[in-house]
Amino acid sequence: MMSRSVGFGCGLFILASRVFACEISLAYNSDPSPPYYVGVGDISPDHPGAGVELAQLAAAKIGCTVTLKRLPTRRVIAETGMGKYDGAFMFSYNVERTAMFAYPMQGEIPDKSRRIATLSYSLFRLKGSSANWNGETFSGISGPIGVNMGWSIGKDIQALKVPVIESYNTQENFIQLRLGRIAAYATQDIVGDAIIQREDMNDVERLPIPISSKDYFIIFNKTYYQKNKERVEQFWTAVGSLRESTLQVLIKKYSND
C-alpha cells in the first residue's frame, strides 16, 4: 500500500514538473498603475492587477510559472539588468535600455503585436495654473516639470528644452506639485487619475491632450534571453495573443481599483 502511495505521489510530482517545466522571475514597480498592477509596496497582492495576471497566464501557456518582486523603478531596472531577476515590466522601448535588455523585435523595431499595453502620458497641473501642452509645445511653464525617477518621459520632455526634476514616486510628485515646487507633473494617465481619485485631489487636473503614447513590453535581461531565447520568444507571443483575447476581461475585473 505504501509503495503505491509513494508511486502515486512521484507520478504527481513528475506530472507537475512537466506541466510547469520552468520558472520565470519578473520584477515590477512598487507604485500602483491600475488596472495593470495594483496595491502599494514590495508585496505582490492576491489581487495583483490585469497586467500581472496577463503575465502569469502567458507563462502558464508555455508551461512556466512566474515569481514576482516589486521594487522602485530604478531598482527594477538595475537588479533585473544584473541578473537578479529574469525580466521586468512594464517598459517602453528605449535605445539605451537595449544594451542590457531584450525586447520582442520585428526586424529593427519593437514588435507592437507582442506588447502588453499601450499607455499615454499627460500633463497634470493645479487648477488655475498657466501650464499647458497643445500637442506640440509647452507654454506657461514657470519651473521644472516633475517626473518619476527613471521614467522615459523625462527625456522626452528635456528634448523639448523644458527642464525636469525627478521625484521618487507618484505620491511625492503630487506633493511637490501642490506645494508649488514644480510647474506641472507628467505621468501616465492611468497612474495620475488613480491617485487623484484615491486622494480626492480636487485642486489638480489632467490636460486633455496626451504628451505621448507608448507601447509597453515585458523585457528580459540579455543573459537570460540568450540562454532561453526560444522560451522568451514563445512567452512574448503568448502575451500578444492573450492581450487580444483576454486583457479587456481582466481590466473589467479591476475597474473599481
Side-chain angles (χ1 to χ4, degrees), residues 123-183:
L123 201 67
F124 291 78
R125 68 181 184 184
L126 292 176
K127 291 181 178 177
S129 166
S130 62
N132 197 32
W133 166 254
N134 65 8
E136 294 183 0
T137 59
F138 292 100
S139 62
I141 303 295
S142 57
I145 291 176
V147 297
N148 283 23
M149 191 174 291
W151 285 30
S152 61
I153 190 64
K155 290 187 177 180
D156 295 343
I157 294 171
Q158 286 176 319
L160 296 172
K161 310 300 181 185
V162 175
V164 303
I165 186 168
E166 293 186 326
S167 287
Y168 192 64
N169 57 29
T170 301
Q171 196 76 36
E172 285 191 16
N173 267 299
F174 273 121
I175 290 171
Q176 298 301 313
L177 177 64
R178 299 177 89 185
L179 290 174
R181 294 174 181 169
I182 55 177

Side-chain angles (χ1 to χ4, degrees), residues 16-28:
S17 298
R18 287 175 179 170
V19 172
F20 296 110
C22 70
E23 183 177 88
I24 299 171
S25 61
L26 297 176
Y28 69 108

Side-chain angles (χ1 to χ4, degrees), residues 37-231:
Y37 36 90
V38 300
V40 180
D42 61 353
I43 303 300
S44 298
D46 294 333
H47 188 66
V52 179
E53 288 199 38
L54 187 71
Q56 292 170 325
L57 289 170
K61 191 171 183 178
I62 64 167
C64 297
T65 57
V66 170
T67 60
L68 299 164
K69 180 63 177 177
R70 300 189 74 175
L71 300 163
T73 300
R74 283 201 168 174
R75 284 187 60 194
V76 171
I77 293 171
E79 294 185 20
T80 305
M82 69 175 62
K84 188 170 182 179
Y85 307 102
D86 303 327
F89 65 99
M90 299 163 34
F91 288 94
S92 60
Y93 182 76
N94 180 310
V95 173
E96 291 181 5
R97 286 195 198 118
T98 60
M100 297 173 64
F101 297 103
Y103 286 79
M105 301 296 289
Q106 188 173 44
E108 298 298 316
I109 61 173
D111 184 355
K112 67 181 292 132
S113 73
R114 296 193 286 174
R115 70 193 185 278
I116 190 169
T118 300
L119 302 178
S120 294
Y121 285 87
S122 291
L123 201 67
F124 291 78
R125 68 181 184 184
L126 292 176
K127 291 181 178 177
S129 166
S130 62
N132 197 32
W133 166 254
N134 65 8
E136 294 183 0
T137 59
F138 292 100
S139 62
I141 303 295
S142 57
I145 291 176
V147 297
N148 283 23
M149 191 174 291
W151 285 30
S152 61
I153 190 64
K155 290 187 177 180
D156 295 343
I157 294 171
Q158 286 176 319
L160 296 172
K161 310 300 181 185
V162 175
V164 303
I165 186 168
E166 293 186 326
S167 287
Y168 192 64
N169 57 29
T170 301
Q171 196 76 36
E172 285 191 16
N173 267 299
F174 273 121
I175 290 171
Q176 298 301 313
L177 177 64
R178 299 177 89 185
L179 290 174
R181 294 174 181 169
I182 55 177
Y185 171 39
T187 191
Q188 294 168 1
D189 293 6
I190 58 173
V191 175
D193 289 347
I195 295 293
I196 287 173
Q197 182 177 9
R198 190 181 76 196
E199 302 295 332
D200 196 24
M201 295 183 187
N202 295 320
D203 56 338
V204 177
E205 63 184 357
R206 171 166 58 86
L207 296 184
I209 302 175
I211 300 170
S212 68
S213 293
K214 298 183 178 185
D215 293 328
Y216 281 76
F217 302 91
I218 298 177
I219 59 178
F220 288 85
N221 71 65
K222 283 199 164 179
T223 300
Y224 182 84
Y225 175 74
Q226 288 163 0
K227 290 181 178 178
N228 303 277
K229 185 174 181 179
E230 183 178 359
R231 175 187 299 166

